[in-house]
């Protein structure tokens, strides 16, 4: 089932340490969450975020958190928050 990007936004807005985020689907049940944090301290709510996302994506969703400095900016000056890298075609 498709999930609206606002679901992720509503989930992550509760974590004040997150400055920028990008959610990527890489496979049928394989996801990456790229986070840019406001400081370099360890993200203490990682387990909570994964649990919140799995509530909508399913318990068998494989979600990996990747920490990055900044989400790349598109030519339009905007950042793409949701990316689909998965194709179900062989």
């Amino acid at each position: 089932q498709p999930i609206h990007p606002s679901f992720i936004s509503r989930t992550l807005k509760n974590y004040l340490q997150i400055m920028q985020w990008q959610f990527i689907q890489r496979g049928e049940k394989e996801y990456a969450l790229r986070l840019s944090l406001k400081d370099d301290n360890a993200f203490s709510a990682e387990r909570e975020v994964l649990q919140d996302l799995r509530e909508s994506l399913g318990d068998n969703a494989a979600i990996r958190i990747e920490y990055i400095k900044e989400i790349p900016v598109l030519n339009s000056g905007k950042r793409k928050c949701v990316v689909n890298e998965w194709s179900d075609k062989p």
Side-chain angles (χ1 to χ4, degrees):
Q1 295 280 351
I3 294 177
H4 198 277
S6 64
F7 150 73
I8 301 165
S9 181
R10 284 191 311 268
T11 299
L12 298 179
K13 75 176 184 175
N14 297 317
Y15 300 96
L16 302 177
Q17 196 176 359
I18 298 173
M19 187 170 56
Q20 301 170 351
W21 60 269
Q22 185 176 61
F23 189 77
I24 303 165
Q25 183 170 9
R26 295 198 168 131
E28 183 176 3
K29 297 176 184 184
E30 185 180 339
Y31 307 92
L33 176 62
R34 290 182 178 162
L35 297 178
S36 173
L37 303 177
K38 291 182 180 177
D39 55 45
D40 290 332
N41 294 336
F43 185 51
S44 59
E46 188 173 296
R47 181 176 276 159
E48 281 179 57
V49 168
L50 292 174
Q51 182 178 345
D52 289 346
L53 292 175
R54 282 193 183 105
E55 284 181 14
S56 290
L57 298 171
D59 290 333
N60 57 354
I63 308 167
R64 187 177 73 213
I65 294 181
E66 301 172 354
Y67 294 97
I68 59 173
K69 292 283 185 194
E70 188 172 342
I71 304 298
V73 178
L74 302 171
N75 290 338
S76 65
K78 298 180 180 180
R79 289 179 172 85
K80 196 164 188 173
C81 294
V82 177
V83 176
N84 185 359
E85 295 179 350
W86 175 54
S87 173
D88 59 352
K89 298 175 185 176

